[in-house]
């Protein structure tokens, strides 16, 4: 898929697959590890800059991650309709191709910047940095970053966000947190979406999904929501209000997956955000 994060099949990794297409063995390539380490270091440097830049404007930045089709854009549309009168919202959209989702957001009267990544299966901090220059940060309270639909690679890249929100549609299976632990372990909030379909599904248990999140030692809230049922979205809206208030008060949170470095001075860490 992506040559940037190393998940593509390269000449050095072709031997991983046998003739039947089944994964066999893999050796550790020190050069590949060094390149990936350097890539993440540069990304984290850019992410820190983004977070400081957003913090100076009191903006809450939320990274939305999920599989394709889990309802991220529908959730954003419902959120804009409900909160647009009290929060100034902007969106950065990430997809391999098209501006379909950005157009949907703009139709709601909200600025949206589309990032088309080509073959890259996630956003990174440099892409977000460039997109920020296309937005009036002085006119934004909450910035949503809708990441590329993928439960693997986006979890590894800090964008400069303040919170990671992972969506899990009830059509996907309640064991996804167990199958994709990195993303769900680093989530600050998990939303079980398309809950209006629970009435016709008998193979998804919200309780089991929550249990799998807890098995990852993640105490994050898990809300069951439907973009089609406004009454289910109240906890999500309250969660956003609380974190927006923290940003406005100079106490911007950091995502679970990217905590404050242990040697950072608390005063400077808070000031930067």
């Amino acid at each position: 898929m992506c040559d940037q994060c190393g998940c593509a099949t390269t000449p050095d990794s072709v031997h991983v697959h046998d003739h039947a297409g089944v994964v066999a063995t893999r050796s550790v390539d020190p050069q590949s590890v060094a390149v990936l380490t350097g890539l993440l270091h540069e990304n984290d440097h850019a992410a820190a800059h983004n977070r400081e830049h957003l913090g100076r404007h009191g903006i809450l930045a939320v990274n939305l991650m999920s599989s394709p089709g889990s309802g991220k854009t529908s959730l954003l549309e419902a959120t804009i309709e409900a909160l647009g009168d009290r929060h100034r919202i902007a969106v950065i959209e990430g997809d391999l191709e098209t501006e379909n989702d950005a157009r949907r957001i703009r139709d709601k009267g909200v600025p949206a910047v589309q990032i088309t990544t080509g073959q890259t299966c996630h956003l990174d901090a440099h892409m977000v940095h460039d997109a920020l220059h296309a937005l009036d940060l002085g006119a934004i309270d909450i910035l949503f970053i809708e990441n590329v639909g993928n439960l693997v690679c986006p979890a590894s890249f800090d964008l400069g966000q303040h919170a990671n929100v992972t969506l899990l549609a009830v059509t996907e299976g309640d064991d996804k947190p167990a199958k994709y632990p990195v993303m769900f372990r680093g989530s600050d909030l998990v939303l079980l979406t398309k809950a209006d379909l629970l009435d016709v599904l008998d193979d998804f248990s919200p309780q089991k999904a929550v249990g799998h999140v807890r098995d990852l030692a993640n105490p994050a809230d898990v809300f069951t929501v439907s973009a089609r049922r406004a009454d289910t979205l109240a906890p999500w809206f309250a969660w956003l209000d609380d974190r927006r208030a923290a940003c406005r008060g100079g106490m911007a949170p950091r995502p679970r997956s990217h905590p404050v470095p242990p040697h950072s001075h608390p005063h400077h860490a808070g000031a930067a955000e």
Side-chain angles (χ1 to χ4, degrees):
M1 292 174 65
C2 169
D3 291 324
Q4 183 186 31
C5 69
C7 68
T9 299
T10 66
D12 290 336
S13 64
V14 170
H15 68 280
V16 171
H17 300 84
D18 64 19
H19 294 295
V22 178
V23 173
T25 61
R26 181 172 183 173
S27 60
V28 177
D29 181 352
Q31 287 183 315
S32 298
V33 172
V35 169
L36 183 58
T37 300
L39 172 66
L40 291 175
H41 174 76
E42 290 301 317
N43 181 82
D44 289 348
H45 179 75
H49 173 75
N50 291 347
R51 190 174 288 111
E52 181 178 1
H53 198 46
L54 292 165
R56 286 200 302 268
H57 290 84
I59 297 171
L60 169 65
V62 179
N63 180 25
L64 295 178
M65 301 182 291
S66 75
S67 301
S70 66
K72 295 189 296 296
T73 309
S74 295
L75 177 72
L76 286 177
E77 290 174 320
T79 301
I80 291 166
E81 291 176 1
L83 302 185
D85 289 341
R86 67 176 186 263
H87 294 305
R88 298 169 299 172
I89 296 171
V91 179
I92 294 174
E93 290 283 352
D95 278 302
L96 271 66
E97 293 294 345
T98 81
E99 288 210 3
N100 294 349
D101 291 346
R103 282 195 289 267
R104 288 172 59 181
I105 298 301
R106 293 176 193 138
D107 286 346
K108 296 293 181 181
V110 165
V113 178
Q114 180 72 54
I115 299 174
T116 51
T117 64
Q119 295 185 356
T120 302
C121 54
H122 58 86
L123 296 179
D124 65 29
H126 299 284
M127 297 176 191
V128 171
H129 177 265
D130 291 343
L132 290 177
H133 286 290
L135 293 169
D136 179 5
L137 299 187
I140 300 172
D141 297 321
I142 302 177
L143 172 66
F144 292 104
I145 304 169
E146 184 176 339
N147 219 312
V148 178
N150 181 352
L151 284 176
V152 183
C153 304
S156 298
F157 286 79
D158 186 3
L159 308 178
Q161 74 275 20
H162 299 110
N164 290 317
V165 176
T166 301
L167 281 63
L168 171 60
V170 301
T171 53
E172 295 181 67
D174 50 37
D175 60 348
K176 286 298 183 292
K179 290 183 174 182
Y180 300 91
V182 177
M183 181 169 289
F184 286 92
R185 186 181 292 117
S187 299
D188 300 285
L189 176 67
V190 175
L191 298 178
L192 305 181
T193 58
K194 302 188 177 182
D196 53 295
L197 297 177
L198 284 172
D199 294 339
V200 295
L201 296 174
D202 61 3
D203 58 353
F204 186 98
S205 166
Q207 293 76 20
K208 287 183 179 179
V210 173
H212 287 307
V213 173
R214 298 291 176 257
D215 288 343
L216 300 174
N218 187 346
D221 286 327
V222 181
F223 301 148
T224 302
V225 302
S226 169
R228 298 187 177 198
R229 295 181 179 174
D231 58 302
T232 69
L233 297 173
W236 159 239
F237 297 154
W239 188 91
L240 288 171
D241 286 338
D242 288 345
R243 278 148 188 81
R244 164 58 185 154
C247 288
R248 191 171 51 216
M251 299 295 291
R254 291 182 68 96
R256 282 177 50 84
S257 54
H258 303 284
V260 177
H263 300 298
S264 296
H265 191 287
H267 173 73
H268 293 304
E273 295 173 358

